[in-house]
């Protein structure tokens, strides 16, 4: 392989990896902003609450997550990945 061909392949790979990192950062930024917005909603709800703490049901309402799965009691908590 000639040096200029090799150089072009390396440049293409660097560009591909760079674009992949840029897309990953954009997704992470989007997720971080969504988390910040949800935290803000919880803070607003907590500051407006009469009681000392928000109930699990009120938290679910503020976060717009709903209901309990059929046949289960208590809050719905996502299982941990082991």
């Amino acid at each position: 392989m000639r040096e200029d061909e090799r150089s072009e392949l390396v440049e293409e790979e660097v560009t591909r990896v760079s674009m992949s990192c840029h897309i990953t950062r954009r997704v992470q930024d989007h997720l971080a902003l969504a988390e910040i917005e949800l935290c803000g909603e919880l803070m607003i709800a907590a500051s407006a609450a009469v009681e000392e703490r928000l109930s699990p049901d009120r938290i679910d309402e503020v976060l717009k997550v709903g209901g309990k799965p059929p046949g289960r009691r208590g809050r719905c908590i996502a299982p941990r990945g082991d």
Side-chain angles (χ1 to χ4, degrees), residues 35-47:
E35 283 186 27
I36 291 167
E37 185 176 340
L38 291 174
C39 288
E41 294 294 328
L42 284 173
M43 285 190 267
I44 291 167
S47 67

Side-chain angles (χ1 to χ4, degrees), residues 57-72:
D57 288 337
R58 178 67 179 130
I59 292 171
D60 287 347
E61 182 183 330
V62 170
L63 297 179
K64 296 179 177 83
V65 295
K68 300 171 190 161
R72 296 197 66 189

Side-chain angles (χ1 to χ4, degrees), residues 9-71:
L9 287 175
V10 168
E11 186 177 324
E12 287 174 6
E13 181 66 11
V14 168
T15 301
R16 187 188 66 75
V17 170
S18 176
M19 290 300 291
S20 175
C21 290
H22 178 69
I23 290 169
T24 301
R25 272 187 261 134
R26 280 194 349 223
V27 170
Q28 289 172 345
D29 289 347
H30 176 73
L31 293 174
L33 289 173
E35 283 186 27
I36 291 167
E37 185 176 340
L38 291 174
C39 288
E41 294 294 328
L42 284 173
M43 285 190 267
I44 291 167
S47 67
V50 175
E51 63 274 0
E52 186 174 320
R53 295 175 186 250
L54 294 177
S55 70
D57 288 337
R58 178 67 179 130
I59 292 171
D60 287 347
E61 182 183 330
V62 170
L63 297 179
K64 296 179 177 83
V65 295
K68 300 171 190 161

